[in-house]
Amino acid sequence: AFASQMDVWISALSGDNEAAKIEARQMLPRMGGAAVPGLLPLLKVERQEVWRVAYRILVDIVNEVTAAGREEERKTVTAALMTLVEPPQPKPLKEIGLRLLPIALPERYDVSPIAALLDDKELREPARAALELAGTEPARAALRDALSKTDPEFQYALLNSLAVLQDAESLSTVESYLRHSDARVRAAAARAVAWTGRSEE
């Protein structure tokens, strides 16, 4: 019965009955992770009034499942959201995923689909921002692993993220950038080690 009612609410979001839409907007966040698979397809609907409402409901759900005691549900929601950043998805959908995932990500969850976007010139900046905001150990590892594979402009951004995160695991790698040929990279590397009190010899 709950599943049937949930389907009715999800369908209402793309319908013309305003009262039903309002009810759906109020009730679907209470369904938690169970509503996520049905909401994701609505993000592809071209009508803004549909995909924006679906997005806002997803934000509500993601915030709810980060509460203590809902760890398994949080993992399930994260897995569903990861499908938004997979290679076949269009750029706008990936951008939505990158806004939702940093909130949802559990501490040790695999971030490979997000890390892969660090190689995409159009999406690397939102992917970097998402990993910085997540701040998990796998996210920090993805940021430092990307350093050697990119240009100075993005190295600068990656080093700034590692500075914000005060990532101890990156120190030996970051120190090699203190003598980089690009002045901005050197400055960012200095910031990334400054929190330790250490400086270039």
Side-chain angles (χ1 to χ4, degrees):
F2 279 120
S4 176
Q5 182 58 61
M6 186 167 63
D7 290 341
V8 170
W9 285 327
I10 289 172
S11 296
L13 293 177
S14 54
D16 297 321
N17 186 321
E18 291 302 319
K21 286 183 183 180
I22 292 169
E23 181 184 8
R25 176 66 182 91
Q26 292 173 337
M27 300 304 296
L28 282 169
R30 304 181 190 183
M31 306 303 292
V36 171
L39 289 166
L40 293 183
L42 297 183
L43 296 174
K44 299 179 181 180
V45 176
E46 292 185 3
R47 291 160 54 201
Q48 282 198 21
E49 67 271 20
V50 175
W51 71 259
R52 285 189 183 278
V53 171
Y55 172 76
R56 288 195 290 269
I57 295 171
L58 285 166
V59 170
D60 291 343
I61 292 172
V62 168
N63 282 310
E64 286 292 327
V65 300
T66 59
R70 301 181 72 171
E71 289 78 13
E72 290 305 313
E73 186 179 10
R74 182 177 183 178
K75 290 177 184 177
T76 300
V77 169
T78 300
L81 295 178
M82 278 292 184
T83 65
L84 297 176
V85 298
E86 291 176 348
Q89 301 288 15
K91 180 183 174 184
L93 213 58
K94 289 178 180 175
E95 290 173 330
I96 289 174
L98 291 172
R99 290 198 293 270
L100 292 168
L101 281 164
I103 309 168
L105 276 170
E107 174 54 38
R108 287 176 290 277
Y109 201 92
D110 179 24
V111 298
S112 298
I114 303 174
L117 297 179
L118 295 173
D119 296 325
D120 185 322
K121 284 291 183 70
E122 292 187 346
L123 287 167
R124 68 184 189 178
E125 182 53 31
R128 179 202 62 77
L131 291 168
E132 178 186 316
L133 184 59
T136 62
E137 193 287 322
R140 299 193 303 272
L143 292 168
R144 61 178 177 261
D145 289 348
L147 273 171
S148 63
K149 309 171 188 174
T150 191
D151 53 82
E153 179 183 355
F154 199 50
Q155 285 173 337
Y156 171 79
L158 291 168
L159 287 164
N160 282 335
S161 287
L162 293 170
V164 169
L165 295 171
Q166 298 187 354
D167 179 46
E169 295 297 321
S170 70
L171 290 176
S172 59
T173 300
V174 169
E175 286 176 343
S176 67
Y177 290 86
L178 291 168
R179 298 173 179 82
H180 196 279
S181 59
D182 188 290
R184 295 182 71 209
V185 173
R186 293 198 302 272
R191 284 192 291 273
V193 299
W195 65 274
T196 66
R198 295 159 65 179
S199 60
E200 182 180 6
E201 296 294 335

